[in-house]
Amino acid sequence: MSDSDKNFENLCETVLKTVNDGNLPHGTLFECEDEALSLNLARLIANALVCSGESKPCGVCSACRKASANNHPDIIETDGKAKKSDAFTVDSVREIRSNAFIAPNEADVKVYILKNGQNMNEQAQNAILKILEEPPSYVYFIILTTQKSKTLETVLSRVSVYSLAVSNQTVTDEERKCVKELVEAVLNPNELKLMEHTSKYIKNNRLAGRVLEIMSAVCRDALARKSGFSGDFDFPDEVLALCGSLTAKSLMNLANVCGELCKSVKRNINNNLLTVRMCYELKRAIGR
Ligand SMILES: [Zn+2]
């Protein structure tokens, strides 16, 4: 499994745990070359922050529904490009600052997702720094950047910083076919289908590992699609199928379980046991 996948799953888990414990700091910065991936993560965190359920994000409360439709009034996304320039201007940050002092509309918190942090000039960063130093108690900033090195040290010292790597391994025809079949088998209510499918290639550790790794990425794409991201996906039909059949929480579980199973495959655990475990865990992940 590539570092990026480990990172994404670990990051989701780590940051969501921090949110659920009520310990997320007011500023978080994600560094990632893949802007869709970091935006996906930021939206998930924002969703968890506004959620009124027990285990956040619960996926069913009204806040979660609005957040996943990208329509929650207390989640504000901006890339600071209001004035047709590449820079994240000081004016746009000042606007954010004055807006931040207005209490939330519906949730207990207000979350700002600042995209393209690499375009934030020094002046704008200094303006953001002021509010990071003394933020209203209900305000959270999630800064996304492709290059952390463009962020001032003073800003970095005020936020939790996470770096997310990107994998660029290409998908072979065989892997593509297996992933397509796996999606069908997972969504098929007949459990034997999944057993039949996994037993086909479970003895080929390399292939099984790759299929699970790609499946995990496809689930994350489906999660991104669910939260309103409409870019190009590697497996568009499968993304739509997963997105239409599963809740955000199930998708996240499934992505995590695929990641965990991928590690077990690579550790050469007994194949028959692994087939059974895989079928059980995959179904459990989606609550079936
Ligand atoms: Zn919720």
Side-chain angles (χ1 to χ4, degrees):
M1 193 151 108
S2 68
D3 286 345
S4 70
D5 292 317
K6 262 191 264 171
N7 275 349
F8 187 90
E9 280 138 23
N10 290 348
L11 258 185
C12 276
E13 219 169 289
T14 309
V15 185
L16 286 178
K17 184 174 183 312
T18 318
V19 172
N20 277 286
D21 292 346
N23 290 331
L24 190 79
H26 289 277
T28 307
L29 180 141
F30 293 119
E31 179 191 39
C32 181
E33 278 174 43
D34 182 338
E35 293 173 42
L37 194 64
S38 56
L39 182 58
N40 182 12
L41 182 61
R43 285 178 172 169
L44 187 67
I45 306 307
N47 183 346
L49 281 164
V50 296
C51 171
S52 58
E54 282 288 304
S55 166
K56 302 170 195 296
C58 72
V60 291
C61 73
S62 119
C64 278
R65 286 202 302 271
K66 283 186 185 172
S68 66
N70 239 0
N71 195 20
H72 196 294
D74 297 314
I75 300 176
I76 301 110
E77 286 182 21
T78 175
D79 60 5
K81 281 185 191 162
K83 296 207 170 60
K84 256 204 217 165
S85 89
D86 275 347
F88 208 127
T89 62
V90 68
D91 285 344
S92 50
V93 175
R94 284 191 184 127
E95 230 175 272
I96 292 167
R97 266 172 54 194
S98 48
N99 182 284
F101 284 97
I102 303 168
N105 285 291
E106 294 176 10
D108 296 331
V109 300
K110 219 164 169 177
V111 189
Y112 291 86
I113 299 176
L114 308 183
K115 301 185 276 190
N116 295 314
Q118 70 281 359
N119 294 341
M120 208 184 274
N121 63 28
E122 199 174 323
Q123 227 190 340
Q125 290 193 50
N126 278 318
I128 246 329
L129 184 62
K130 281 194 196 156
I131 192 161
L132 282 172
E133 279 167 346
E134 275 178 274
S137 58
Y138 51 80
V139 167
Y140 292 86
F141 288 101
I142 302 174
I143 305 172
L144 307 181
T145 180
T146 53
Q147 277 170 284
K148 188 179 68 183
S149 58
K150 293 201 171 167
T151 309
L152 297 176
E153 280 300 326
T154 44
V155 171
L156 291 177
S157 72
R158 291 278 164 185
V159 296
S160 291
V161 178
Y162 300 96
S163 292
L164 191 56
V166 184
S167 148
N168 4 336
Q169 220 174 331
T170 50
V171 178
T172 66
D173 288 347
E174 188 186 27
E175 289 164 358
R176 182 168 292 277
K177 184 168 168 281
C178 288
V179 170
K180 283 174 177 282
E181 285 176 11
L182 177 57
V183 171
E184 274 173 34
V186 164
L187 295 179
N188 194 314
N190 181 349
E191 290 197 19
L192 287 176
K193 291 280 176 218
L194 187 56
M195 195 75 91
E196 257 171 48
H197 169 77
T198 49
S199 57
K200 265 195 254 174
Y201 57 82
I202 201 76
K203 286 187 178 132
N204 180 342
N205 285 42
R206 192 209 56 81
L207 179 61
R210 277 292 287 159
V211 170
L212 286 163
E213 180 179 4
I214 298 164
M215 178 70 178
S216 178
V218 173
C219 293
R220 292 195 311 264
D221 282 348
L223 197 59
R225 178 79 179 68
K226 230 182 172 55
S227 57
F229 181 73
S230 56
D232 286 337
F233 296 114
D234 257 355
F235 288 81
D237 297 340
E238 286 65 31
V239 164
L240 273 184
L242 286 167
C243 183
S245 312
L246 301 179
T247 63
K249 193 159 183 103
S250 294
L251 285 171
M252 202 170 65
N253 286 344
L254 196 54
N256 289 342
V257 161
C258 289
E260 285 304 314
L261 287 168
C262 178
K263 281 183 221 162
S264 306
V265 168
K266 289 187 175 172
R267 284 198 299 265
N268 283 311
I269 290 170
N270 178 303
N271 288 324
N272 292 332
L273 272 182
L274 189 59
T275 311
V276 175
R277 191 183 137 206
M278 194 165 147
C279 295
Y280 170 74
E281 298 264 353
L282 289 176
K283 287 291 181 186
R284 200 181 62 150
I286 60 174
R288 290 186 188 167

